[in-house]
Amino acid sequence: MEFELRENDEYIQLTQLLKAVGIAENGAMAGQMVVDGLVKLNGEKESRKRAKLRSGDVVSIMGKEIRIK
């Protein structure tokens, strides 16, 4: 799946992305997924809930891959 940043946005925070694409119902759920170690950023386990995702980054969670454009 792909997620396109809005024209004037430089980045999106990890928990915001998980909510935006419908993987998490809310911020608390998204944050818990990160804490539980379910999220990888560019192939590495990501523990920062507010990691800044930029164009070219790839997030993997629960067998799904999200490419940031």
Side-chain angles (χ1 to χ4, degrees):
M1 130 181 11
E2 291 186 344
F3 178 85
E4 192 164 343
L5 292 171
R6 291 184 291 187
E7 188 174 323
N8 294 326
D9 288 348
E10 183 179 327
Y11 65 88
I12 184 170
Q13 291 181 358
L14 179 54
T15 53
Q16 291 174 333
L17 174 73
L18 296 178
K19 289 187 306 185
V21 298
I23 290 175
E25 292 179 18
N26 54 49
M29 181 183 281
Q32 193 60 51
M33 290 174 165
V34 176
V35 169
D36 289 346
L38 301 176
V39 182
K40 288 187 177 182
L41 175 58
N42 299 323
E44 301 288 326
K45 185 175 161 183
E46 181 55 68
S47 60
R48 299 170 297 153
K49 297 176 190 176
R50 295 185 177 176
K52 294 178 179 177
L53 308 175
R54 293 178 166 81
S55 182
D57 284 336
V58 178
V59 174
S60 302
I61 181 168
M62 301 183 324
K64 298 180 182 181
E65 197 170 85
I66 308 159
R67 296 182 180 279
I68 312 299
K69 289 185 81 177

